[in-house]
Amino acid sequence: MIHVVAAAIFDSEARVLVTRRADHLHQGGLWEFPGGKCEPGESIQQALARELKEELGIVPLECDPLIRVRHDYGDRNLLLEFFRVTRYQGEASGLEGQPLKWLLPGEMEPGSFPAADRPVITALQLPSRYLITGGDVDRLEDFLQRLDRALDFGVGIVQLRAHGLTDIGYRELLSACLPRCHGRGVKLIINRPERVVDWRGEGDGVHFTARQLMALAHHPSGAGLLGASCHNPEELARAAELELDYALLSPVEPTHSHPHAQALGWFRFTEWVDRVNIPVYALGGMQSDSLRQAKLAGAQGIAGISTYWGLNR
C-alpha cells in the first residue's frame, strides 16, 4: 500500500489547481491534483506541506479533509488522502516543470484524470450541506418559506421528500421549488425513484431508499445526480459498486424521529466510510455545528431534516 496525500487548492474564483503528469510516469499525460507519497515518520499534514512546497512553492494555511480513496491499479495499490486547501501562502508555479491550470469543479472531465482521482471530482462538485425537506407539504407558502430559509443558510443540495403527496401533487411542488433552488445554483433531487423513467430530466437527480438501492440491477444512467440512503456496510458497498454519486449514512447520532434506532457513532461512521470511494453524508442527529466533526470523520458533509428545516432566522 502506497500512502499518498494530495490537495484540491482553491483560488478566489472557486477554481481548483490541477497539474499534468509527465508522459514517462505512471498515469502519464493525465491531469491530477498536486501531492505525493508520505515519507516514513511523516504525518499526513507534514507530507502535504512538504509536497506543496516542493511542487508548487506554496505553504498551505487552511485545509480540511476532503475524501479518502483506495485504488488498486494492478501494479500498485494506493491509499490517497485528499484535502481541500482554501488559503495558502505564496504563488503556485510548476517548480518541477509540470504544466498547471485552474478549473472550476464542473469543468473537470473525469476521463482526463487518473481513475483514483475521479471520486475527488465528484466530491468537489457536491456541497457540504444537504437538506431533506420536512413537513408542511399541504401548506405551500409555509413550505416555500422554510425552503428559502434553508437556502439562505447555505444549503447546497435539496432532496424533495414529500411522501404524503400524490404524483400530481408532488410534481406541482417540484415545479414550485425548482426555480427557487436553481436561482441559488442549488440542485433539487427527486425522492420518488419509482417514477424516474417518467420524470427523467425534471429534477437534477434521484434519491433511492436502502431497499430500492439493494434491488437495483445496474447504474440508472441518464437520471442525473444519484444517491441512496444506507445504514450498514453492505448498503454502502452496493452504492459504491453501482457508482452512485453519494450516499447518506445514518443514524450517526440518536434522533427524536427514530429513538429506538442504534446510533453508529463517529468511530463506526469513519470505519465504514473508509471502505468506499464515494462521498458520504452524515445523517441523523446532526446540528448545524456538526459539520467540522463530520468532515474530520471522513464525511462529505452533513444531511438532515430538522437540521435545516426548522431554522429560525
Coordinates of all heavy atoms in Angstrom, one line a residue, residues 258-306:
H258 N -36.4 8.7 15.3 CA -36.1 7.2 15.4 C -35.4 6.9 16.7 O -34.3 6.5 16.7 CB -35.3 6.7 14.2 CG -35.9 6.9 12.9 ND1 -35.9 8.1 12.2 CD2 -36.7 6.1 12.1 CE1 -36.5 8.0 11.0 NE2 -37.0 6.8 11.0
P259 N -36.1 7.1 17.8 CA -35.5 7.0 19.2 C -35.0 5.6 19.5 O -34.1 5.4 20.3 CB -36.6 7.4 20.1 CG -37.9 7.1 19.4 CD -37.6 7.4 17.9
H260 N -35.5 4.5 18.8 CA -35.1 3.2 19.1 C -34.0 2.7 18.2 O -33.5 1.5 18.4 CB -36.3 2.2 19.1 CG -37.4 2.6 20.0 ND1 -37.2 2.6 21.4 CD2 -38.6 3.0 19.8 CE1 -38.3 3.0 22.0 NE2 -39.2 3.3 21.0
A261 N -33.6 3.4 17.2 CA -32.5 3.0 16.3 C -31.2 3.2 16.9 O -30.9 4.2 17.6 CB -32.6 3.9 15.0
Q262 N -30.3 2.2 16.8 CA -29.0 2.3 17.4 C -28.1 3.2 16.6 O -27.9 3.1 15.4 CB -28.4 0.9 17.5 CG -27.0 0.9 18.2 CD -26.4 -0.4 18.3 OE1 -26.9 -1.4 17.8 NE2 -25.2 -0.5 18.8
A263 N -27.6 4.3 17.3 CA -26.7 5.2 16.6 C -25.3 4.6 16.3 O -24.8 3.8 17.1 CB -26.5 6.5 17.4
L264 N -24.8 5.0 15.1 CA -23.5 4.4 14.8 C -22.4 5.0 15.6 O -21.4 4.3 16.0 CB -23.2 4.8 13.3 CG -24.2 4.3 12.2 CD1 -23.7 4.8 10.9 CD2 -24.2 2.8 12.2
G265 N -22.4 6.3 15.9 CA -21.3 7.0 16.5 C -20.3 7.3 15.4 O -20.2 6.7 14.3
W266 N -19.4 8.3 15.8 CA -18.4 8.8 14.8 C -17.4 7.7 14.4 O -16.9 7.7 13.3 CB -17.8 10.1 15.2 CG -18.8 11.2 15.2 CD1 -19.3 11.9 16.2 CD2 -19.3 11.8 14.0 NE1 -20.2 12.9 15.8 CE2 -20.2 12.8 14.4 CE3 -19.2 11.5 12.6 CZ2 -20.9 13.6 13.5 CZ3 -19.9 12.3 11.7 CH2 -20.8 13.3 12.2
F267 N -17.0 6.9 15.4 CA -15.9 5.9 15.2 C -16.3 4.9 14.1 O -15.6 4.7 13.1 CB -15.5 5.2 16.4 CG -14.4 4.2 16.3 CD1 -13.1 4.6 16.2 CD2 -14.7 2.9 16.1 CE1 -12.1 3.7 16.0 CE2 -13.7 1.9 15.9 CZ -12.4 2.3 15.9
R268 N -17.5 4.4 14.3 CA -18.0 3.4 13.3 C -18.3 4.1 12.0 O -18.1 3.5 10.9 CB -19.3 2.7 13.9 CG -19.7 1.5 13.0 CD -21.0 0.9 13.6 NE -20.8 0.4 14.9 CZ -21.7 -0.1 15.7 NH1 -23.0 -0.1 15.3 NH2 -21.5 -0.5 17.0
F269 N -18.8 5.3 12.0 CA -19.1 6.0 10.8 C -17.8 6.1 10.0 O -17.8 5.8 8.8 CB -19.6 7.4 11.1 CG -19.8 8.3 9.9 CD1 -21.1 8.3 9.2 CD2 -18.8 9.1 9.4 CE1 -21.3 9.1 8.1 CE2 -19.0 9.9 8.2 CZ -20.2 9.9 7.6
T270 N -16.7 6.5 10.6 CA -15.4 6.7 9.9 C -15.0 5.3 9.4 O -14.5 5.3 8.2 CB -14.4 7.2 10.9 OG1 -14.8 8.5 11.4 CG2 -13.0 7.4 10.2
E271 N -15.1 4.3 10.2 CA -14.6 3.0 9.8 C -15.4 2.5 8.5 O -14.8 2.0 7.6 CB -14.9 2.0 10.9 CG -14.4 0.6 10.7 CD -14.7 -0.3 11.8 OE1 -15.8 -0.2 12.4 OE2 -13.8 -1.2 12.1
W272 N -16.7 2.7 8.4 CA -17.5 2.3 7.3 C -17.2 3.1 6.1 O -17.1 2.6 5.0 CB -19.0 2.3 7.6 CG -19.4 1.2 8.6 CD1 -18.5 0.3 9.3 CD2 -20.7 1.0 9.2 NE1 -19.3 -0.5 10.1 CE2 -20.6 -0.1 10.1 CE3 -21.9 1.6 9.0 CZ2 -21.7 -0.5 10.8 CZ3 -23.0 1.2 9.6 CH2 -22.9 0.1 10.5
V273 N -17.1 4.4 6.3 CA -16.9 5.3 5.1 C -15.5 5.1 4.5 O -15.4 5.2 3.3 CB -17.0 6.8 5.6 CG1 -16.5 7.8 4.5 CG2 -18.5 7.1 5.9
D274 N -14.6 4.7 5.3 CA -13.2 4.5 4.8 C -13.1 3.3 3.8 O -12.2 3.1 3.1 CB -12.3 4.2 6.0 CG -10.8 4.3 5.6 OD1 -10.5 5.2 4.8 OD2 -10.0 3.5 6.1
R275 N -14.2 2.5 3.8 CA -14.2 1.3 2.9 C -14.7 1.6 1.5 O -14.6 0.7 0.6 CB -15.0 0.2 3.5 CG -14.6 -0.2 4.9 CD -15.6 -1.3 5.4 NE -15.3 -1.6 6.9 CZ -16.1 -2.4 7.6 NH1 -17.1 -3.0 7.1 NH2 -15.8 -2.6 8.9
V276 N -15.2 2.8 1.3 CA -15.8 3.1 0.0 C -15.2 4.3 -0.6 O -14.7 5.2 0.1 CB -17.4 3.2 0.1 CG1 -18.0 1.9 0.5 CG2 -17.8 4.3 1.0
N277 N -15.3 4.4 -2.0 CA -14.7 5.5 -2.7 C -15.8 6.5 -3.2 O -15.6 7.0 -4.3 CB -13.8 5.0 -3.8 CG -12.6 4.3 -3.3 OD1 -12.2 4.5 -2.2 ND2 -12.0 3.5 -4.2
I278 N -16.8 6.7 -2.5 CA -17.8 7.7 -2.9 C -18.1 8.7 -1.7 O -17.9 8.3 -0.6 CB -19.2 7.1 -3.3 CG1 -19.8 6.3 -2.2 CG2 -19.0 6.2 -4.5 CD1 -21.2 5.8 -2.5
P279 N -18.5 9.9 -2.0 CA -18.8 10.8 -0.9 C -20.0 10.4 -0.1 O -20.9 9.9 -0.7 CB -19.1 12.1 -1.7 CG -18.5 12.0 -3.0 CD -18.5 10.5 -3.4
V280 N -19.8 10.5 1.2 CA -20.9 10.0 2.1 C -21.2 11.2 3.1 O -20.4 11.8 3.7 CB -20.4 8.8 3.0 CG1 -21.5 8.4 3.9 CG2 -20.0 7.7 2.0
Y281 N -22.5 11.5 3.2 CA -23.0 12.5 4.1 C -23.4 11.8 5.4 O -24.0 10.7 5.4 CB -24.3 13.2 3.5 CG -24.0 14.1 2.4 CD1 -24.0 13.7 1.1 CD2 -23.7 15.5 2.6 CE1 -23.8 14.6 0.0 CE2 -23.4 16.3 1.6 CZ -23.5 15.9 0.3 OH -23.2 16.7 -0.8
A282 N -23.1 12.5 6.5 CA -23.6 12.0 7.8 C -25.0 12.5 8.1 O -25.3 13.7 7.9 CB -22.7 12.6 8.9
L283 N -25.9 11.6 8.5 CA -27.3 11.9 8.7 C -27.7 11.3 10.0 O -27.3 10.2 10.4 CB -28.1 11.3 7.6 CG -29.6 11.3 7.7 CD1 -30.2 12.7 7.7 CD2 -30.3 10.5 6.5
G284 N -28.6 12.0 10.7 CA -29.1 11.5 12.0 C -28.5 12.2 13.2 O -27.4 12.0 13.5
G285 N -29.3 13.1 13.8 CA -28.9 13.8 15.0 C -27.9 14.9 14.7 O -27.2 15.4 15.6
M286 N -27.8 15.4 13.4 CA -26.8 16.4 13.1 C -27.4 17.8 13.5 O -28.5 18.1 13.4 CB -26.6 16.4 11.6 CG -25.9 15.1 11.0 SD -24.2 14.9 11.7 CE -24.6 13.7 13.0
Q287 N -26.4 18.6 14.0 CA -26.7 20.0 14.3 C -26.0 20.9 13.3 O -25.1 20.4 12.6 CB -26.3 20.4 15.7 CG -26.9 19.4 16.8 CD -28.4 19.6 16.9 OE1 -28.9 20.6 16.7 NE2 -29.0 18.4 17.1
S288 N -26.3 22.1 13.2 CA -25.7 23.0 12.2 C -24.2 23.1 12.5 O -23.4 23.4 11.6 CB -26.3 24.4 12.2 OG -26.3 25.0 13.5
D289 N -23.7 22.9 13.7 CA -22.3 23.0 14.1 C -21.6 21.6 14.0 O -20.5 21.5 14.5 CB -22.1 23.6 15.4 CG -22.8 22.9 16.6 OD1 -23.5 21.9 16.3 OD2 -22.7 23.3 17.7
S290 N -22.3 20.6 13.5 CA -21.7 19.3 13.4 C -20.8 19.1 12.2 O -20.1 18.1 12.0 CB -22.8 18.2 13.3 OG -23.6 18.2 14.4
L291 N -20.7 20.1 11.3 CA -20.1 20.0 10.0 C -18.6 19.7 10.2 O -18.0 18.8 9.5 CB -20.3 21.2 9.2 CG -19.7 21.2 7.7 CD1 -20.3 20.0 7.0 CD2 -20.0 22.5 7.0
R292 N -17.9 20.4 11.1 CA -16.5 20.2 11.3 C -16.2 18.8 11.7 O -15.3 18.1 11.2 CB -16.0 21.2 12.3 CG -14.5 21.0 12.7 CD -13.6 21.3 11.5 NE -12.2 21.3 11.8 CZ -11.2 21.2 11.0 NH1 -11.5 21.3 9.7 NH2 -9.9 21.2 11.4
Q293 N -17.0 18.3 12.7 CA -16.8 16.9 13.2 C -17.0 15.9 12.1 O -16.3 14.9 12.0 CB -17.8 16.7 14.4 CG -17.8 15.2 14.9 CD -16.5 14.8 15.5 OE1 -16.1 15.4 16.5 NE2 -15.8 13.8 15.0
A294 N -18.0 16.1 11.3 CA -18.3 15.2 10.2 C -17.2 15.1 9.2 O -16.8 14.0 8.8 CB -19.6 15.6 9.5
K295 N -16.6 16.3 8.8 CA -15.5 16.2 7.9 C -14.3 15.6 8.4 O -13.6 14.8 7.7 CB -15.2 17.7 7.4 CG -16.3 18.3 6.5 CD -15.8 19.6 5.9 CE -16.8 20.1 4.9 NZ -16.4 21.4 4.3
L296 N -14.0 15.8 9.7 CA -12.9 15.1 10.3 C -13.1 13.6 10.3 O -12.2 12.8 10.4 CB -12.7 15.6 11.7 CG -12.1 17.0 11.8 CD1 -12.1 17.5 13.3 CD2 -10.7 17.1 11.2
A297 N -14.4 13.2 10.3 CA -14.7 11.7 10.4 C -14.8 11.1 9.0 O -15.1 10.0 8.8 CB -16.1 11.5 11.1
G298 N -14.5 11.9 7.9 CA -14.5 11.4 6.6 C -15.7 11.7 5.8 O -15.8 11.2 4.6
A299 N -16.6 12.5 6.3 CA -17.9 12.8 5.6 C -17.7 13.9 4.5 O -16.8 14.7 4.7 CB -19.0 13.2 6.6
Q300 N -18.5 13.8 3.5 CA -18.6 14.9 2.6 C -19.2 16.1 3.2 O -18.9 17.3 2.9 CB -19.5 14.5 1.4 CG -19.9 15.6 0.4 CD -18.7 16.0 -0.5 OE1 -17.7 15.3 -0.6 NE2 -18.7 17.2 -1.0
G301 N -20.1 15.9 4.1 CA -20.8 17.0 4.9 C -21.9 16.4 5.7 O -21.9 15.2 6.1
I302 N -22.9 17.2 6.1 CA -24.0 16.7 6.9 C -25.3 16.9 6.2 O -25.5 17.8 5.4 CB -24.0 17.4 8.3 CG1 -24.2 18.9 8.1 CG2 -22.8 17.1 9.1 CD1 -24.4 19.7 9.4
A303 N -26.2 15.9 6.4 CA -27.6 16.0 5.8 C -28.6 15.9 7.0 O -28.3 15.4 8.1 CB -27.8 14.8 4.9
G304 N -29.7 16.5 6.7 CA -30.8 16.4 7.8 C -32.0 17.1 7.4 O -32.1 17.9 6.4
I305 N -33.1 16.8 8.2 CA -34.4 17.5 8.0 C -34.4 18.6 9.0 O -34.3 19.8 8.7 CB -35.5 16.5 8.2 CG1 -35.5 15.4 7.2 CG2 -36.9 17.2 8.1 CD1 -36.5 14.3 7.4
S306 N -34.5 18.3 10.3 CA -34.6 19.3 11.4 C -33.4 20.2 11.4 O -33.5 21.3 11.8 CB -34.9 18.6 12.7 OG -33.8 17.8 13.0

